[in-house]
Amino acid sequence: MGHGKPPSSPGDADHRRHAIVPGVGPDRGDPGMTHGAAFWFHCSSAVLRRPHLWFTAIRQISRAVPIRWWTRSPFVPLPDRAYVRFRLETAYGEDASPRVADVLRYLEWCWGTD
């Protein structure tokens, strides 16, 4: 075979592992896709009333937060906008409208698979 550097493949160290996605990075969190504070208040309240879901909810939140989130603005543990958009769109279509009951059902499913 020939000498020289072989073509780049996804496993190569110099290959870009992640695509450049608009909205990922310093402007994490997508208010249009993640609903307002009232939705998250109702979700949190519902989970707090179910102690068996506490650990599962914390684990699922921690999995969605980017690694080393404290090194990037806004310095709060928010999931990447592209990730949230992808998850909601694959679950609900373009008109993402999750309900508290859906969040609880998801956490119950995760709890049951531990």
Side-chain angles (χ1 to χ4, degrees):
M1 325 288 172
H3 295 296
K5 188 175 178 183
S8 179
S9 70
D12 290 344
D14 62 339
H15 182 78
R16 178 169 275 166
R17 290 180 49 130
H18 302 285
I20 303 294
V21 179
V24 174
D27 298 323
R28 293 192 323 268
D30 188 351
M33 293 293 285
T34 58
H35 302 292
F39 173 76
W40 294 114
F41 173 79
H42 291 297
C43 282
S44 300
S45 297
V47 170
L48 286 174
R49 289 190 301 270
R50 293 162 178 83
H52 70 280
L53 292 179
W54 293 356
F55 177 75
T56 302
I58 291 168
R59 187 184 65 226
Q60 293 309 112
I61 290 169
S62 69
R63 288 179 174 175
V65 173
I67 296 170
R68 297 179 45 89
W69 58 266
W70 60 88
T71 63
R72 296 177 289 181
S73 176
F75 308 109
V76 292
L78 293 175
D80 281 332
R81 179 181 301 177
Y83 174 76
V84 172
R85 183 177 292 122
F86 168 76
R87 296 298 298 179
L88 290 175
E89 191 169 322
T90 55
Y92 298 98
E94 289 183 27
D95 300 323
S97 58
R99 298 173 306 175
V100 172
D102 295 336
V103 173
L104 292 175
R105 197 170 13 257
Y106 170 71
L107 291 174
E108 290 281 354
W109 177 79
C110 291
W111 179 73
T113 60
D114 285 344

